[in-house]
Amino acid sequence: MKKYTLKSIGKNTDYMTILREMEDGFVVKIVRDMDGYEDVKTDYISKELFDSCIRTGYLTEITETVKMAVNA
């Protein structure tokens, strides 16, 4: 499962995890930090929208080195 950070306003760190890849898109889990509590949603995103979000920098893949630094 690949994980991505979502560009957000301020110091919030929001994440998206791909749960399942489908022919025309992805089922994803989105976790948003809402002033101390986490808002968790499962949703669908088309491949076209996903590719656009990667190109524009709205989504950035989390690499293993970044995950280790975040968990430290």
Side-chain angles (χ1 to χ4, degrees):
M1 291 188 292
K2 289 188 177 184
K3 293 187 178 191
Y4 297 84
T5 58
L6 283 70
K7 186 178 277 188
S8 50
I9 298 172
K11 296 180 181 179
N12 290 349
T13 306
D14 301 335
Y15 301 96
M16 182 182 85
T17 304
I18 295 177
L19 300 176
R20 182 171 32 139
E21 184 172 354
M22 302 169 70
E23 184 175 318
D24 58 346
F26 303 95
V27 175
V28 297
K29 178 172 81 171
I30 300 170
V31 180
R32 295 189 176 271
D33 179 4
M34 306 292 275
D35 291 327
Y37 91 95
E38 290 184 341
D39 179 38
V40 180
K41 293 183 181 178
T42 301
D43 209 341
Y44 170 84
I45 183 172
S46 70
K47 286 189 177 182
E48 184 178 310
L49 178 57
F50 177 82
D51 291 341
S52 177
C53 290
I54 293 292
R55 274 194 315 275
T56 61
Y58 182 74
L59 291 175
T60 305
E61 186 173 358
I62 300 173
T63 61
E64 286 299 319
T65 54
V66 172
K67 281 191 223 177
M68 290 177 11
V70 169
N71 291 331

